[in-house]
Short mmCIF file of all heavy atoms in Angstrom, two decimals:
data_model
loop_
_atom_site.label_atom_id
_atom_site.label_comp_id
_atom_site.label_asym_id
_atom_site.label_seq_id
_atom_site.Cartn_x
_atom_site.Cartn_y
_atom_site.Cartn_z
N VAL A 928 -56.21 100.03 124.37
CA VAL A 928 -55.90 98.62 124.13
C VAL A 928 -56.49 98.21 122.79
O VAL A 928 -57.63 98.57 122.47
CB VAL A 928 -56.46 97.73 125.26
CG1 VAL A 928 -56.35 96.25 124.89
CG2 VAL A 928 -55.74 97.99 126.58
N ILE A 929 -55.72 97.49 121.99
CA ILE A 929 -56.20 97.01 120.69
C ILE A 929 -57.19 95.86 120.93
O ILE A 929 -56.82 94.81 121.44
CB ILE A 929 -55.05 96.51 119.80
CG1 ILE A 929 -53.98 97.60 119.64
CG2 ILE A 929 -55.58 96.06 118.44
CD1 ILE A 929 -54.42 98.81 118.89
N VAL A 930 -58.45 96.10 120.57
CA VAL A 930 -59.48 95.07 120.69
C VAL A 930 -59.52 94.21 119.43
O VAL A 930 -59.67 92.99 119.48
CB VAL A 930 -60.87 95.70 120.93
CG1 VAL A 930 -61.96 94.63 120.96
CG2 VAL A 930 -60.86 96.50 122.23
N ASN A 931 -59.36 94.87 118.28
CA ASN A 931 -59.35 94.17 116.99
C ASN A 931 -58.43 94.94 116.04
O ASN A 931 -58.69 96.11 115.75
CB ASN A 931 -60.77 94.10 116.41
CG ASN A 931 -60.85 93.20 115.17
OD1 ASN A 931 -59.84 92.86 114.59
ND2 ASN A 931 -62.07 92.84 114.79
N PRO A 932 -57.33 94.32 115.57
CA PRO A 932 -56.42 95.04 114.67
C PRO A 932 -57.07 95.44 113.35
O PRO A 932 -56.62 96.39 112.71
CB PRO A 932 -55.29 94.04 114.43
CG PRO A 932 -55.40 93.05 115.54
CD PRO A 932 -56.86 92.98 115.89
N GLU A 933 -58.12 94.74 112.95
CA GLU A 933 -58.83 95.07 111.71
C GLU A 933 -60.21 94.42 111.72
O GLU A 933 -60.32 93.20 111.63
CB GLU A 933 -58.04 94.61 110.49
CG GLU A 933 -58.65 95.06 109.18
CD GLU A 933 -57.79 94.70 107.97
OE1 GLU A 933 -56.71 94.10 108.17
OE2 GLU A 933 -58.19 95.01 106.84
N ASP A 934 -61.25 95.25 111.84
CA ASP A 934 -62.61 94.70 111.81
C ASP A 934 -63.06 94.55 110.36
O ASP A 934 -62.28 94.74 109.41
CB ASP A 934 -63.57 95.58 112.62
CG ASP A 934 -63.78 96.96 112.00
OD1 ASP A 934 -63.25 97.22 110.89
OD2 ASP A 934 -64.46 97.79 112.63
N LYS A 935 -64.35 94.21 110.15
CA LYS A 935 -64.84 93.94 108.80
C LYS A 935 -64.79 95.17 107.90
O LYS A 935 -64.80 95.07 106.68
CB LYS A 935 -66.27 93.40 108.86
CG LYS A 935 -67.27 94.32 109.54
CD LYS A 935 -68.64 93.68 109.62
CE LYS A 935 -69.64 94.56 110.33
NZ LYS A 935 -69.88 95.85 109.65
N ASP A 936 -64.73 96.35 108.54
CA ASP A 936 -64.66 97.59 107.76
C ASP A 936 -63.22 98.10 107.63
O ASP A 936 -62.98 99.18 107.09
CB ASP A 936 -65.51 98.68 108.43
CG ASP A 936 -66.98 98.31 108.48
OD1 ASP A 936 -67.48 97.76 107.47
OD2 ASP A 936 -67.62 98.54 109.51
N GLY A 937 -62.26 97.31 108.13
CA GLY A 937 -60.87 97.69 108.03
C GLY A 937 -60.39 98.63 109.12
O GLY A 937 -59.28 99.16 109.03
N ASN A 938 -61.21 98.85 110.15
CA ASN A 938 -60.85 99.76 111.23
C ASN A 938 -60.07 99.05 112.33
O ASN A 938 -60.27 97.86 112.59
CB ASN A 938 -62.10 100.38 111.85
CG ASN A 938 -62.88 101.23 110.86
OD1 ASN A 938 -62.29 101.97 110.08
ND2 ASN A 938 -64.20 101.09 110.87
N ILE A 939 -59.21 99.80 112.98
CA ILE A 939 -58.55 99.31 114.19
C ILE A 939 -59.45 99.68 115.37
O ILE A 939 -59.71 100.86 115.62
CB ILE A 939 -57.16 99.96 114.39
CG1 ILE A 939 -56.26 99.69 113.19
CG2 ILE A 939 -56.51 99.46 115.67
CD1 ILE A 939 -54.94 100.43 113.24
N VAL A 940 -59.97 98.69 116.07
CA VAL A 940 -60.91 98.92 117.16
C VAL A 940 -60.15 99.02 118.48
O VAL A 940 -59.35 98.13 118.81
CB VAL A 940 -61.96 97.80 117.23
CG1 VAL A 940 -62.98 98.10 118.33
CG2 VAL A 940 -62.67 97.65 115.88
N LEU A 941 -60.41 100.09 119.22
CA LEU A 941 -59.70 100.37 120.46
C LEU A 941 -60.64 100.34 121.66
O LEU A 941 -61.86 100.47 121.52
CB LEU A 941 -59.05 101.76 120.39
CG LEU A 941 -58.16 102.07 119.20
CD1 LEU A 941 -57.71 103.52 119.24
CD2 LEU A 941 -56.95 101.14 119.18
N SER A 942 -60.04 100.17 122.84
CA SER A 942 -60.80 100.25 124.09
C SER A 942 -60.07 101.18 125.05
O SER A 942 -58.86 101.02 125.28
CB SER A 942 -60.96 98.87 124.73
OG SER A 942 -61.52 98.98 126.02
N LEU A 943 -60.80 102.14 125.60
CA LEU A 943 -60.25 103.01 126.64
C LEU A 943 -60.40 102.38 128.02
O LEU A 943 -59.53 102.51 128.87
CB LEU A 943 -60.94 104.38 126.60
CG LEU A 943 -60.71 105.22 125.34
CD1 LEU A 943 -61.61 106.45 125.36
CD2 LEU A 943 -59.26 105.64 125.24
N THR A 944 -61.54 101.70 128.25
CA THR A 944 -61.80 101.13 129.57
C THR A 944 -60.84 99.98 129.87
O THR A 944 -60.39 99.83 131.01
CB THR A 944 -63.25 100.64 129.68
OG1 THR A 944 -63.54 99.72 128.61
CG2 THR A 944 -64.23 101.80 129.58
N GLN A 945 -60.52 99.16 128.87
CA GLN A 945 -59.57 98.08 129.10
C GLN A 945 -58.19 98.63 129.45
O GLN A 945 -57.45 98.03 130.23
CB GLN A 945 -59.48 97.18 127.87
CG GLN A 945 -60.68 96.26 127.68
CD GLN A 945 -60.47 95.25 126.57
OE1 GLN A 945 -59.35 94.80 126.33
NE2 GLN A 945 -61.54 94.90 125.88
N ALA A 946 -57.86 99.78 128.85
CA ALA A 946 -56.58 100.41 129.17
C ALA A 946 -56.57 100.89 130.62
O ALA A 946 -55.54 100.82 131.30
CB ALA A 946 -56.33 101.58 128.23
N GLU A 947 -57.71 101.39 131.11
CA GLU A 947 -57.80 101.80 132.50
C GLU A 947 -57.66 100.61 133.44
O GLU A 947 -57.01 100.70 134.49
CB GLU A 947 -59.14 102.51 132.75
CG GLU A 947 -59.26 103.87 132.08
CD GLU A 947 -58.23 104.85 132.61
OE1 GLU A 947 -57.92 104.82 133.81
OE2 GLU A 947 -57.71 105.65 131.80
N VAL A 948 -58.25 99.49 133.06
CA VAL A 948 -58.11 98.26 133.85
C VAL A 948 -56.64 97.84 133.89
O VAL A 948 -56.12 97.45 134.95
CB VAL A 948 -58.99 97.12 133.27
CG1 VAL A 948 -58.67 95.80 133.95
CG2 VAL A 948 -60.46 97.47 133.46
N ASP A 949 -55.97 97.92 132.74
CA ASP A 949 -54.55 97.58 132.67
C ASP A 949 -53.75 98.48 133.60
O ASP A 949 -52.83 98.02 134.29
CB ASP A 949 -54.06 97.73 131.23
CG ASP A 949 -52.59 97.36 131.08
OD1 ASP A 949 -52.29 96.15 131.06
OD2 ASP A 949 -51.75 98.26 130.99
N ARG A 950 -54.09 99.77 133.65
CA ARG A 950 -53.39 100.70 134.53
C ARG A 950 -53.63 100.35 136.00
O ARG A 950 -52.73 100.45 136.84
CB ARG A 950 -53.85 102.13 134.24
CG ARG A 950 -53.10 103.18 135.05
CD ARG A 950 -53.57 104.58 134.72
NE ARG A 950 -53.05 105.03 133.44
CZ ARG A 950 -53.78 105.20 132.34
NH1 ARG A 950 -55.07 104.96 132.36
NH2 ARG A 950 -53.22 105.62 131.22
N ASP A 951 -54.86 99.91 136.32
CA ASP A 951 -55.17 99.52 137.70
C ASP A 951 -54.38 98.28 138.12
O ASP A 951 -53.94 98.18 139.27
CB ASP A 951 -56.68 99.26 137.85
CG ASP A 951 -57.50 100.54 137.79
OD1 ASP A 951 -56.92 101.62 138.04
OD2 ASP A 951 -58.70 100.47 137.49
N TRP A 952 -54.19 97.34 137.19
CA TRP A 952 -53.36 96.17 137.51
C TRP A 952 -51.92 96.59 137.77
O TRP A 952 -51.27 96.07 138.68
CB TRP A 952 -53.41 95.16 136.36
CG TRP A 952 -54.61 94.25 136.36
CD1 TRP A 952 -55.60 94.20 135.43
CD2 TRP A 952 -54.94 93.27 137.34
NE1 TRP A 952 -56.53 93.25 135.78
CE2 TRP A 952 -56.15 92.66 136.94
CE3 TRP A 952 -54.33 92.85 138.53
CZ2 TRP A 952 -56.77 91.65 137.68
CZ3 TRP A 952 -54.95 91.83 139.27
CH2 TRP A 952 -56.14 91.25 138.85
N GLU A 953 -51.42 97.52 136.98
CA GLU A 953 -50.06 98.00 137.19
C GLU A 953 -49.93 98.67 138.56
O GLU A 953 -48.93 98.51 139.27
CB GLU A 953 -49.67 98.98 136.08
CG GLU A 953 -49.51 98.33 134.72
CD GLU A 953 -49.20 99.34 133.63
OE1 GLU A 953 -49.20 100.56 133.94
OE2 GLU A 953 -48.95 98.92 132.48
N GLU A 954 -50.95 99.44 138.94
CA GLU A 954 -50.94 100.10 140.25
C GLU A 954 -50.99 99.07 141.38
O GLU A 954 -50.30 99.21 142.40
CB GLU A 954 -52.14 101.05 140.35
CG GLU A 954 -52.23 101.81 141.66
CD GLU A 954 -51.10 102.80 141.86
OE1 GLU A 954 -50.46 103.18 140.86
OE2 GLU A 954 -50.86 103.18 143.03
N ALA A 955 -51.80 98.01 141.19
CA ALA A 955 -51.87 96.95 142.20
C ALA A 955 -50.51 96.26 142.35
O ALA A 955 -50.08 95.94 143.47
CB ALA A 955 -52.95 95.93 141.82
N GLU A 956 -49.83 96.03 141.24
CA GLU A 956 -48.50 95.39 141.29
C GLU A 956 -47.49 96.30 141.98
O GLU A 956 -46.63 95.82 142.74
CB GLU A 956 -48.05 95.05 139.87
CG GLU A 956 -48.84 93.89 139.26
CD GLU A 956 -48.61 93.72 137.77
OE1 GLU A 956 -47.99 94.65 137.17
OE2 GLU A 956 -49.03 92.70 137.20
N ARG A 957 -47.60 97.62 141.75
CA ARG A 957 -46.71 98.56 142.45
C ARG A 957 -46.98 98.55 143.95
O ARG A 957 -46.05 98.59 144.77
CB ARG A 957 -46.88 99.97 141.89
CG ARG A 957 -46.18 100.20 140.56
CD ARG A 957 -46.11 101.66 140.21
NE ARG A 957 -47.42 102.22 139.94
CZ ARG A 957 -47.98 102.26 138.73
NH1 ARG A 957 -47.32 101.78 137.70
NH2 ARG A 957 -49.16 102.79 138.56
N ASN A 958 -48.27 98.50 144.34
CA ASN A 958 -48.62 98.45 145.75
C ASN A 958 -48.10 97.17 146.41
O ASN A 958 -47.68 97.18 147.58
CB ASN A 958 -50.13 98.54 145.93
CG ASN A 958 -50.66 99.95 145.74
OD1 ASN A 958 -49.89 100.91 145.76
ND2 ASN A 958 -51.95 100.09 145.52
N LEU A 959 -48.16 96.07 145.66
CA LEU A 959 -47.64 94.81 146.19
C LEU A 959 -46.15 94.92 146.48
O LEU A 959 -45.66 94.44 147.51
CB LEU A 959 -47.92 93.67 145.21
CG LEU A 959 -47.39 92.29 145.59
CD1 LEU A 959 -48.09 91.78 146.84
CD2 LEU A 959 -47.58 91.30 144.44
N GLN A 960 -45.42 95.54 145.56
CA GLN A 960 -43.97 95.68 145.72
C GLN A 960 -43.61 96.67 146.83
O GLN A 960 -42.67 96.45 147.60
CB GLN A 960 -43.33 96.13 144.40
CG GLN A 960 -43.46 95.12 143.27
CD GLN A 960 -42.77 93.80 143.59
OE1 GLN A 960 -41.69 93.78 144.18
NE2 GLN A 960 -43.39 92.68 143.20
N SER A 961 -44.36 97.77 146.92
CA SER A 961 -44.03 98.82 147.88
C SER A 961 -44.57 98.54 149.28
O SER A 961 -44.06 99.08 150.26
CB SER A 961 -44.58 100.17 147.39
OG SER A 961 -46.00 100.17 147.41
N GLY A 962 -45.62 97.70 149.36
CA GLY A 962 -46.24 97.44 150.66
C GLY A 962 -47.11 98.58 151.15
O GLY A 962 -47.49 98.63 152.33
N GLU A 963 -47.47 99.49 150.27
CA GLU A 963 -48.30 100.63 150.65
C GLU A 963 -49.68 100.17 151.07
O GLU A 963 -50.27 99.26 150.48
CB GLU A 963 -48.40 101.60 149.47
CG GLU A 963 -49.22 102.84 149.76
CD GLU A 963 -49.30 103.78 148.57
OE1 GLU A 963 -48.54 103.55 147.60
OE2 GLU A 963 -50.10 104.72 148.60
N ILE A 964 -50.25 100.79 152.12
CA ILE A 964 -51.60 100.48 152.55
C ILE A 964 -52.54 101.59 152.10
O ILE A 964 -52.11 102.73 151.86
CB ILE A 964 -51.68 100.28 154.08
CG1 ILE A 964 -51.34 101.56 154.83
CG2 ILE A 964 -50.78 99.14 154.52
CD1 ILE A 964 -51.53 101.45 156.33
N PHE A 965 -53.82 101.26 151.96
CA PHE A 965 -54.80 102.23 151.48
C PHE A 965 -56.15 101.92 152.09
O PHE A 965 -56.38 100.84 152.65
CB PHE A 965 -54.88 102.20 149.95
CG PHE A 965 -55.25 100.84 149.39
CD1 PHE A 965 -56.56 100.51 149.12
CD2 PHE A 965 -54.25 99.90 149.13
CE1 PHE A 965 -56.89 99.26 148.62
CE2 PHE A 965 -54.57 98.65 148.63
CZ PHE A 965 -55.89 98.32 148.37
N GLU A 966 -57.07 102.86 151.98
CA GLU A 966 -58.41 102.71 152.53
C GLU A 966 -59.41 102.55 151.40
O GLU A 966 -59.35 103.28 150.41
CB GLU A 966 -58.76 103.92 153.39
CG GLU A 966 -59.90 103.70 154.36
CD GLU A 966 -60.10 104.87 155.30
OE1 GLU A 966 -59.66 105.99 154.96
OE2 GLU A 966 -60.69 104.69 156.38
N ALA A 967 -60.32 101.60 151.53
CA ALA A 967 -61.34 101.36 150.51
C ALA A 967 -62.61 100.82 151.17
O ALA A 967 -62.56 100.29 152.28
CB ALA A 967 -60.83 100.38 149.45
N SER A 968 -63.73 100.98 150.47
CA SER A 968 -65.04 100.59 151.02
C SER A 968 -65.47 99.21 150.55
O SER A 968 -65.26 98.85 149.38
CB SER A 968 -66.10 101.61 150.62
OG SER A 968 -65.81 102.89 151.15
N VAL A 969 -66.07 98.45 151.43
CA VAL A 969 -66.63 97.13 151.11
C VAL A 969 -67.94 97.32 150.37
O VAL A 969 -68.81 98.08 150.81
CB VAL A 969 -66.85 96.31 152.39
CG1 VAL A 969 -67.51 94.97 152.06
CG2 VAL A 969 -65.54 96.09 153.13
N THR A 970 -68.09 96.64 149.22
CA THR A 970 -69.32 96.77 148.45
C THR A 970 -70.18 95.51 148.47
O THR A 970 -71.37 95.58 148.18
CB THR A 970 -69.00 97.10 146.98
OG1 THR A 970 -68.14 96.06 146.45
CG2 THR A 970 -68.30 98.45 146.87
N ASN A 971 -69.59 94.36 148.84
CA ASN A 971 -70.37 93.12 148.84
C ASN A 971 -69.63 92.09 149.68
O ASN A 971 -68.50 92.30 150.11
CB ASN A 971 -70.55 92.60 147.42
CG ASN A 971 -71.80 91.76 147.26
OD1 ASN A 971 -72.35 91.27 148.24
ND2 ASN A 971 -72.24 91.57 146.02
N HIS A 972 -70.28 90.95 149.90
CA HIS A 972 -69.64 89.87 150.65
C HIS A 972 -70.15 88.53 150.15
O HIS A 972 -71.17 88.44 149.47
CB HIS A 972 -69.94 90.01 152.15
CG HIS A 972 -71.31 89.55 152.53
ND1 HIS A 972 -72.46 90.28 152.26
CD2 HIS A 972 -71.74 88.41 153.17
CE1 HIS A 972 -73.51 89.63 152.71
NE2 HIS A 972 -73.11 88.49 153.26
N ASN A 973 -69.40 87.48 150.44
CA ASN A 973 -69.87 86.12 150.23
C ASN A 973 -69.42 85.30 151.43
O ASN A 973 -68.86 85.85 152.39
CB ASN A 973 -69.35 85.54 148.89
CG ASN A 973 -67.84 85.60 148.78
OD1 ASN A 973 -67.12 85.41 149.77
ND2 ASN A 973 -67.34 85.85 147.58
#
């Protein structure tokens, strides 16, 4: 993901982790459309 098209040194700054988050959102949207169920662990509560 492009974080900054041009920083003060003229570099294009990228993010790998934001791209992974973007991929997870796409997967969540696919699950919403398909109705697929999955198993996951609870890490916290409110």
Side-chain angles (χ1 to χ4, degrees):
V928 170
I929 305 294
V930 176
N931 188 345
E933 186 175 0
D934 66 5
K935 58 183 178 62
D936 298 319
N938 297 318
I939 302 173
V940 183
L941 308 175
S942 172
L943 294 172
T944 55
Q945 286 188 32
E947 290 298 323
V948 170
D949 182 77
R950 184 179 284 110
D951 289 339
W952 278 115
E953 291 177 355
E954 181 66 20
E956 289 168 349
R957 282 193 293 269
N958 284 344
L959 177 65
Q960 295 299 321
S961 68
E963 181 180 349
I964 64 175
F965 58 93
E966 199 173 22
S968 298
V969 176
T970 57
N971 206 342
H972 78 286
N973 56 36

